[in-house]
Amino acid sequence: MWTPNDIPDLTGSTAVVTGAGGGIGVPTALHLARHGARVVMAVRDLAKGETVRSAIRSAAPNARIELQRLDLADLSSVRAFAAAFDGPVNLLINNAGVGMIPRRTTADGFEMQFGTNHLGHFALTGLLLPRLLAGPGSRVVTVSSDAYSLGRIDFDDLGLERRYRRFSAYGRSKLANLLFTLELQRRAGGRLLSVATHPGATATGIVKTGVLTGPVNALIRLVLQPPDKGAAPSLYAATSPEVTGGRFIGPGPKTLTLSPKALDETVARRLWETSEELTGVRFEALTQHS
């Protein structure tokens, strides 16, 4: 069985990990750094991120690990992060996310789960795309969930103003992650690998900030797997030579079968075009390199 010990030497590569200040982002950043990558922790809370960075440096004294602020719920923050970024990107791990929260909106007025989990990462990927395409073998790993099965993309109500249910809203954002992953692979061809992952039921901040609170939350968290195991699909997707683009990798790690809704190319194209309009980010590098 594959484990993080099987990660190859990543010396000379640069990895960006969103949401590296908590949950599965922490072991993701740790293992990539431990195997030689320069890791950029993209976090919303710099103080929390600094605590994690210090812990990673204690566990891996030779780690090359940096900290930069990124708020995926604010497109100005996404643009600032990308504009300030230095050097190529070999691995982009779109890991951060919010889940199952009461209805709120992002700084740009988007429903929070869709705006953060999908639109924020869509914009970040597009803005970093020239750096991803600068070298061979780059990968974009987007953390989705099997909860995508609960979601549906209603283009007439992307704000979910008519009816908001936190679980289905979360599922919609995870469905969008999958549709984006597959459409990116189709558009990029062989110029990079775009892969989605499902971490499995993991004890992370999404559980704490979702509907499972208080004693019920504490009980549920006892039976969930630790973040280190939840990070395994992402680490495998980012580093294994066996991985091919367009796959959905879950616990094991193993490839999961996608339902027809995730494979709908018509919806994926419309979502892509809508996301470009909403974020103002267009993946021009794909056209320039075609």
Side-chain angles (χ1 to χ4, degrees), residues 15-16 38 43 47 51 84-85 92 123 147 156 160 172 181 197 210 214 245 247:
V16 175
R38 169 202 175 205
V43 302
T51 299
F85 197 87
L92 172 58
D156 294 324
L160 297 182
R172 180 184 71 156
T181 294
T197 62
R247 289 171 65 181

Side-chain angles (χ1 to χ4, degrees), residues 27-232:
T28 300
L30 169 62
H31 287 296
L32 293 176
R34 182 173 277 162
H35 286 83
R38 169 202 175 205
V39 176
V40 178
M41 299 172 56
V43 302
R44 185 179 57 199
D45 186 334
L46 287 176
K48 183 179 178 181
E50 184 56 52
T51 299
V52 172
R53 178 166 67 165
S54 297
I56 290 176
R57 282 177 168 167
S58 295
N62 295 323
R64 297 179 59 211
I65 191 150
E66 303 168 18
L67 191 66
Q68 293 188 31
R69 186 177 185 279
L70 172 67
D71 183 355
L72 289 160
D74 184 346
L75 290 177
S76 66
S77 175
V78 177
R79 290 183 179 279
F81 175 90
F85 197 87
D86 179 35
V89 179
N90 307 99
L91 302 173
L92 172 58
I93 317 296
N94 290 325
N95 166 79
V98 295
M100 297 161 283
I101 58 175
R103 189 182 185 282
R104 300 202 300 268
T105 56
T106 68
D108 303 280
F110 308 127
E111 185 274 312
M112 182 65 75
Q113 298 190 71
F114 182 74
T116 301
N117 300 352
H118 168 61
L119 291 175
H121 281 126
F122 178 92
L124 178 66
T125 305
L127 293 168
L128 291 181
L129 190 63
R131 299 185 181 278
L132 285 160
L133 295 177
S138 294
R139 301 189 188 192
V140 177
V141 177
T142 301
V143 178
S144 182
S145 167
D146 62 356
Y148 82 88
S149 61
L150 302 173
R152 184 176 71 89
I153 309 295
D154 181 356
F155 290 99
D156 294 324
D157 188 24
L158 286 177
L160 297 182
E161 296 174 352
R162 299 173 189 165
R163 186 180 191 185
Y164 181 83
R165 290 186 174 180
R166 57 183 80 187
F167 281 106
S168 59
Y170 177 69
R172 180 184 71 156
S173 73
K174 297 290 100 178
L175 174 59
N177 287 153
L178 279 170
L179 291 165
F180 165 64
T181 294
L182 299 181
E183 185 66 10
L184 176 60
Q185 186 62 60
R186 283 188 288 267
R187 293 180 182 235
R191 287 166 284 175
L192 57 75
L193 294 185
S194 177
V195 187
T197 62
H198 163 50
T202 308
T204 69
I206 279 185
V207 175
K208 183 171 63 176
T209 59
V211 325
L212 304 175
T213 57
V216 174
N217 177 64
L219 179 62
I220 292 295
R221 288 170 69 84
L222 284 176
V223 302
L224 299 180
Q225 67 180 352
D228 195 63
K229 287 190 175 182

